[in-house]
Amino acid sequence: MPSDLLELPERAALSAARTASRRRTRVFALTEARWAAAALVLFLTALPLQLTGAPAWAWGPLYAAAYVTGGWEPAVAGLTALRGKTLDVDLLMIVAAIGAASIGQVMDGALLIVIFATSGALEALATARTQDAVRGLLDLAPATATRLADDGSEEGVATEDLVVGDIILVRPGERVGADGRVLDGAGEVDQATITGEPLPVAKGAGDEVFAGTLNGTGALRVGVERDASDSVVARIVAMVEEASATKAPTQLFIEKVEQRYSLGMVVATLAVFLIPLAFGADLTGSLLRAMTFMIVASPCAVVLATMPPLLSAIANAGRHGVLVKSAVVMERLGQVDAVALDKTGTLTEGTPRVTDIRPLDGSGLDEDALLALAAAVEHPSEHPLARAVVAAARGRGLAVVDVRDFTSAPGVGVTATVDGRTVTVGAPGRLLDGARPARTAEVTADLEDGGRTAVLVLCDGTPVGVLGIADRLRPDAVATVAALAALTGSTPMLVTGDNPRAAARLAAEVGITGDEVHAGLLPQDKVEAVRRLEARGRKVLVIGDGVNDAPALAAAHTGIAMGRAGSDLALETADAVVVRDELATIPTIVNLSRAARRLVVQNLVIAGVFISGLVIWDLVGHLPLPLGVLGHEGSTVIVGLNGLRLLRDAAWNRAARDVR
């Protein structure tokens, strides 16, 4: 059966599961999003009415409604925090907005409300989507399994009902229902979701298999060794949830001083209002001075000092194929000082390709003839290595002829009749019993020592050639590793579930030293490797693409997923996604984040100078309210425009140039 037809039900099932997972949380299913949208619509309706000179009764109620719809949730949250003796910045913004309205600046207050409501809605949506993706991971494990009774009869049962000691039958094309060990049979299992290995792994009696992995060929009898709640897939879910929950709360730079600033502003405003009253000042004048003080001292310019550079950097990154999920993430990217990289699908393309074609002496075949012969036999097979061989032949423009008497032996190879000759293609260790011919052994060893999978071609029982197949390195992998090493001051660490030999070969190609190569890792091992680095005070950036990378992405200081082939869980768990799969954009985005952080500092200095000047003027002199509003809004515009400099392509190009 053609591979495309064999895989179609599996692909359809996975696609349906992914679609269901994505649809579980729509934007407007969240109350935060509905209230924020209502506030925004009301504000956008009132603003043009006010600007075109409509009477206050036309736009005033709309602004009031925007205050209520966008502000009631932050107000309730702020009052709740206040009961816990914590002054929340959201409550301060609500007070500032109401204060602005009390002295006639209704539009400014409404805008402040809308900004805060929208920010809260986006945060709630991001949290909900991540939770959906974690729950969707459980769809990898099949819902049912075929359990074998003592008399050999078969029974379909729910996988959660399997217990240790049960024996299940896994047919070709089915997913393994539980973690266990093969008791009988042979097959090739695609376990990339667990280990990240790019090629299916031959499984026979005594080999371990994992729930959710896909059995490609051959039937397997598997003895269950773990309950469903303790399977590797279930533990991945638990690790992602735990890492997401225990990850240190992230805050923007300015939020780290919000408590002190908030308390200071409230105390100062009350003092500005009450002290003059105590010395006999009139109520109206004292209230006007206090409200002017609240306006000029409100942190609008400080908030905008932080957000425009970060949001501009996010927009610029998005235009160049990198999705950064929040301003917090953009700030954190510039802090990383260590990098952990996955191998398959991250440094490599994740697709096996023919890298070597070695005709053997005396075979009478050149490279094209050998490849065409192997492709003809492999064409009916559904194996990923077979697809690689056929693709290589078609890439050279070779004809793939029809064959007769095709047979497949799981874990061994395939055989067919081609132009009257019996041709077999498969694993050298399985096709040749006993000693191998010297030249065959030499070529096979040379390919395997280079980290390639050797595929032997026999013609009428005689070896005629060997093909080398490997996952191809991304073109920009070497430059990216070097750039990340230069940015962080340390060589990146390779963390992979692939075998040590393949990992060492790739590490040598990209410039990662032996001490930084960690192979044969399960998902929990990757998390431990990241935590060991973080225990030494490092801020670790993890780059990966698969389900097996998701726990490490969640546990790291910052996680980036490769978007094109990345699993849903990795894409949702990661803090940023490289949408176009261009690995070289990662050092650039780190450098752009550092540029944004420098602009934040500049803007904070500008905002601080303006606020300090206006506050001093209001306290020691008489600051007219219109001039105070003008100074406040002017500082906001200046820091906003300064931050928008990172929107230009020149900022991206400069960040890319500086990492070379």
Side-chain angles (χ1 to χ4, degrees):
M1 181 182 292
S3 62
D4 288 345
L5 293 180
L6 180 68
E7 293 181 353
L8 189 58
E10 187 64 31
R11 289 176 181 172
L14 284 176
S15 176
R18 290 180 173 185
T19 300
S21 174
R22 286 179 179 140
R23 289 179 177 174
R24 285 182 190 128
T25 299
R26 294 182 181 274
V27 175
F28 291 107
L30 300 170
T31 56
E32 295 92 340
R34 293 198 295 269
W35 287 116
L40 179 61
V41 169
L42 290 165
F43 177 81
L44 293 178
T45 304
L47 182 62
L49 293 175
Q50 181 188 14
L51 296 179
T52 55
W57 60 261
W59 48 264
L62 295 173
Y63 277 137
Y67 273 73
V68 173
T69 54
W72 77 268
E73 282 192 322
V76 170
L79 291 172
T80 302
L82 193 60
R83 283 198 296 270
K85 299 181 180 180
T86 300
L87 185 57
D88 194 284
V89 74
D90 288 356
L91 182 59
L92 184 62
M93 289 300 97
I94 297 297
V95 173
I98 294 173
S102 70
I103 57 173
Q105 304 299 318
V106 179
M107 186 269 288
D108 291 343
L111 178 59
L112 197 58
I113 291 287
V114 169
I115 290 173
F116 268 73
T118 303
S119 175
L122 292 175
E123 182 179 354
L125 178 62
T127 301
R129 286 286 173 85
T130 300
Q131 291 171 345
D132 285 347
V134 172
R135 290 192 296 267
L137 174 61
L138 294 173
D139 294 335
L140 284 176
T144 60
T146 302
R147 183 166 61 189
L148 299 179
D150 292 339
D151 60 3
S153 61
E154 300 179 7
E155 176 189 11
V157 297
T159 51
E160 60 264 26
D161 293 335
L162 293 172
V163 297
V164 175
D166 282 348
I167 298 175
I168 59 175
L169 176 65
V170 185
R171 294 184 172 87
E174 292 183 346
R175 288 192 175 269
V176 180
D179 286 5
R181 200 164 298 275
V182 178
L183 303 176
D184 185 40
E188 291 175 324
V189 177
D190 180 355
Q191 52 189 34
T193 53
I194 303 298
T195 66
E197 293 170 283
L199 301 175
V201 179
K203 297 290 184 180
D207 292 331
E208 186 178 20
V209 292
F210 304 107
T213 56
L214 179 64
N215 182 29
T217 58
L220 303 174
R221 290 174 64 248
V222 176
V224 177
E225 294 187 342
R226 295 191 191 96
D227 292 333
S229 60
D230 194 38
S231 69
V232 172
V233 170
R235 279 185 283 165
I236 290 176
V237 172
M239 282 188 292
V240 172
E241 291 178 333
E242 179 185 1
S244 298
T246 59
K247 199 171 183 177
T250 56
Q251 294 178 302
L252 291 173
F253 175 76
I254 191 58
E255 290 177 352
K256 295 175 183 177
V257 296
E258 89 176 33
Q259 281 295 303
R260 293 179 181 177
Y261 189 93
S262 301
L263 286 170
M265 180 177 167
V266 170
V267 171
T269 302
L270 291 174
V272 170
F273 175 58
L274 295 175
I275 291 176
L277 282 180
F279 286 92
D282 67 285
L283 177 64
T284 301
S286 297
L287 179 62
L288 182 59
R289 182 185 290 269
M291 289 299 97
T292 302
F293 176 86
M294 175 171 280
I295 292 298
V296 299
S298 68
C300 297
V302 176
V303 171
L304 282 179
T306 302
M307 295 305 291
L310 297 174
L311 295 179
S312 297
I314 289 173
N316 202 337
R319 292 203 308 270
H320 291 88
V322 183
L323 172 62
V324 179
K325 294 185 178 180
S326 72
V328 170
V329 173
M330 179 56 74
E331 185 192 39
R332 290 167 67 91
L333 278 167
Q335 300 171 349
V336 299
D337 57 10
V339 178
L341 290 152
D342 174 48
K343 171 183 171 288
T344 305
T346 301
L347 288 174
T348 69
E349 295 178 347
T351 304
R353 298 177 185 272
V354 174
T355 57
D356 301 83
I357 305 172
R358 305 277 187 90
L360 296 175
D361 297 337
S363 66
L365 302 175
D366 60 13
E367 289 188 0
D368 283 353
L370 175 62
L371 182 59
L373 192 66
V377 179
E378 293 279 25
H379 185 250
S381 173
E382 72 279 1
H383 196 281
L385 292 183
R387 293 197 289 271
V389 173
V390 174
R394 287 175 172 165
R396 290 190 173 209
L398 305 177
V400 180
V401 301
D402 293 331
V403 299
R404 295 183 295 107
D405 306 322
F406 173 83
T407 59
S408 175
V412 178
V414 294
T415 302
T417 301
V418 183
D419 296 332
R421 297 175 294 174
T422 301
V423 180
T424 302
V425 181
R430 303 289 179 91
L431 294 181
L432 296 177
D433 295 328
R436 305 180 189 178
R439 180 56 181 161
T440 303
E442 180 184 344
V443 172
T444 300
D446 180 56
L447 291 174
E448 291 178 344
D449 288 343
R452 293 161 175 77
T453 298
V455 176
L456 180 64
V457 182
L458 301 178
C459 188
D460 293 327
T462 302
V464 294
V466 185
L467 305 178
I469 299 179
D471 191 4
R472 190 164 65 181
L473 194 68
R474 290 182 185 271
D476 50 0
V478 175
T480 298
V481 169
L484 289 171
L487 281 172
T488 61
S490 61
T491 302
M493 179 172 64
L494 180 65
V495 288
T496 177
D498 210 347
N499 66 80
R501 186 167 56 182
R505 177 189 63 83
L506 179 132
E509 288 185 36
V510 299
I512 297 177
T513 58
D515 292 342
E516 300 298 336
V517 179
H518 304 270
L521 304 184
L522 289 175
Q524 60 266 31
D525 301 322
K526 292 187 177 184
V527 172
E528 286 304 314
V530 171
R531 285 179 174 161
R532 282 196 299 270
L533 269 180
E534 293 188 332
R536 300 203 298 265
R538 310 297 295 274
K539 292 181 171 60
V540 184
L541 168 64
V542 170
I543 306 169
D545 72 302
V547 167
N548 58 314
D549 299 317
L553 289 169
H557 177 268
T558 312
I560 296 181
M562 305 302 293
R564 185 170 298 169
S567 70
D568 279 0
L569 184 65
L571 298 181
E572 293 290 354
T573 303
D575 300 302
V577 178
V578 181
V579 179
R580 300 174 189 166
D581 256 22
E582 297 172 355
L583 195 62
T585 58
I586 294 177
T588 303
I589 194 64
V590 171
N591 220 21
L592 187 66
S593 171
R594 293 181 178 181
R597 286 167 59 83
R598 289 192 295 270
L599 274 187
V600 167
V601 173
Q602 291 179 17
N603 280 349
L604 288 172
V605 172
I606 294 171
V609 169
F610 268 87
I611 291 175
S612 299
L614 293 171
V615 165
I616 292 172
W617 189 350
D618 186 52
L619 293 177
V620 303
H622 176 69
L623 174 63
L625 178 60
L627 192 57
V629 172
L630 179 62
H632 177 268
E633 297 301 328
S635 64
T636 301
V637 170
I638 290 173
V639 297
L641 292 177
N642 190 41
L644 294 178
R645 289 192 292 145
L646 289 184
L647 278 174
R648 298 178 299 174
D649 284 339
W652 179 270
N653 295 335
R654 185 165 51 253
R657 185 176 61 251
D658 290 347
V659 300
R660 292 173 187 160

